[in-house]
Amino acid sequence: MIIVTGANGQLGGMTVERLLERIPAERLGVSVRNPQKAQHLQAKGVRVRKADFNDGDSLAHAFEGATQVLIVSSDSFGEASVRLHLTAIDAAKKAGASRILYTSHMGSSPSSHFAPMIDHAATEEALQASGVAFTSLRNGFYTASALMLLGNALSTGELAAPEDGPVSWTTHADLAEAAAIALTEQRLDGLSPGLTANEAIDLAGIAAIASELTGRAIRRVVVSDDTYRDTLVSHGVPEAQAHMLLGIFRASREGEFAAVDPTLGQLLGRSPLSVRDVLKASTDAAK
């Protein structure tokens, strides 16, 4: 049985849907914090069990009978995040899973300027030491984050953010399909290559594409790191989180997210969706 954690989230949920196109529902289980939100999966025959990365016993129940477990990384960061991942790895191992998959990041590094990348590197180290076959899916940076950074620039005409660098933006949909392929076709072992789209593009490039697609001029405005962080805090973002988010720009300036790799396209058998594809779909939907 394949077990997917975080199936109520965007990546986990999409992965489950892609898996249902490939395997019978009775061979699939999900581990979720809120089973009520997964009733649509239960109705399709998927085994739904309540579990939390903070509770190893609940994970033991959710992972029962697992041959493979896909651990979708937590949305926290720092030592707490790594501890949650270690609990999930240990539970998967104790459940007898022959393979553990983990949604990591192409920028995974213990020396990254962006804190979650350090957490991914620590989790990968634990996977390597687990003694269980594993695949760390080094996903590209979510294109959804680019849309968030674009924010209200479509109405204000200004995309204001700190100095940045090229990022290989990649969609949840493509990465979910890749995860389903990795699970069902036993593709990718160990630390995967970067699962990225075919180009890396900075915010100036995104502003230019958005301007072209909407017919409205959108100007890229560079603000200082301090100004950006202070603005986030003034809007209610906790200071620690604001500092963490600032790390995205510091890391991209150093080229941490600029690499592109053909592996994702090879897995999918087609070109991954581009930033232009996503922005066009978004602007078309808004018309």
Side-chain angles (χ1 to χ4, degrees), residues 157-165 202-205 207-208 218-223 249:
E158 291 189 348
L159 199 175
E163 179 187 351
D164 69 314
D202 61 13
L203 292 182
I218 299 172
R219 186 167 63 97
R220 169 71 169 103
V221 177
V222 176
V223 301
F249 302 97

Side-chain angles (χ1 to χ4, degrees), residues 9-212:
Q10 191 170 2
L11 183 62
M14 287 184 176
T15 300
V16 170
E17 293 300 330
R18 298 292 77 78
L19 284 169
L20 286 171
E21 297 171 355
R22 293 171 161 270
I23 61 174
E26 58 267 24
R27 290 177 52 198
L28 182 59
V30 297
S31 166
V32 293
R33 283 180 290 185
N34 187 346
Q36 290 296 113
K37 292 183 178 180
Q39 287 185 339
H40 63 292
L41 295 177
Q42 190 164 9
K44 293 179 180 180
V46 176
R47 190 182 82 183
V48 176
R49 291 189 176 178
K50 181 179 180 179
D52 191 304
F53 283 6
N54 280 304
D55 182 352
D57 289 339
S58 71
L59 290 174
H61 178 63
F63 294 174
E64 183 182 6
T67 55
Q68 298 185 84
V69 175
L70 172 62
I71 299 173
V72 177
S73 57
S74 74
D75 56 5
S76 58
F77 66 96
E79 291 183 8
S81 176
V82 176
R83 184 170 60 252
L84 296 176
H85 297 157
L86 295 185
T87 300
I89 291 169
D90 185 57
K93 182 176 180 178
K94 289 180 177 177
S98 59
R99 185 178 179 219
I100 302 171
L101 293 88
Y102 169 71
T103 60
S104 186
H105 197 285
M106 54 89 68
S108 172
S109 168
S111 59
S112 175
H113 292 278
F114 185 38
M117 302 302 100
I118 299 172
D119 303 339
H120 285 309
T123 301
E124 289 178 339
E125 185 177 341
L127 284 167
Q128 291 172 307
S130 69
V132 179
F134 76 94
T135 298
S136 185
L137 299 165
R138 288 186 152 181
N139 292 338
F141 220 109
Y142 296 143
T143 311
S145 298
L147 295 182
M148 290 177 62
L149 291 171
L150 188 58
N152 61 355
L154 294 176
S155 58
T156 65
E158 291 189 348
L159 199 175
E163 179 187 351
D164 69 314
V167 174
S168 49
W169 304 106
T170 314
T171 65
H172 281 81
D174 284 345
L175 294 169
E177 187 174 346
I181 291 169
L183 283 160
T184 57
E185 298 183 14
Q186 301 295 305
R187 304 275 289 274
L188 303 177
D189 291 317
L191 304 177
S192 82
L195 301 176
T196 74
N198 293 335
E199 64 176 347
I201 186 169
D202 61 13
L203 292 182
I206 290 175
I209 294 172
S211 296
E212 177 189 335

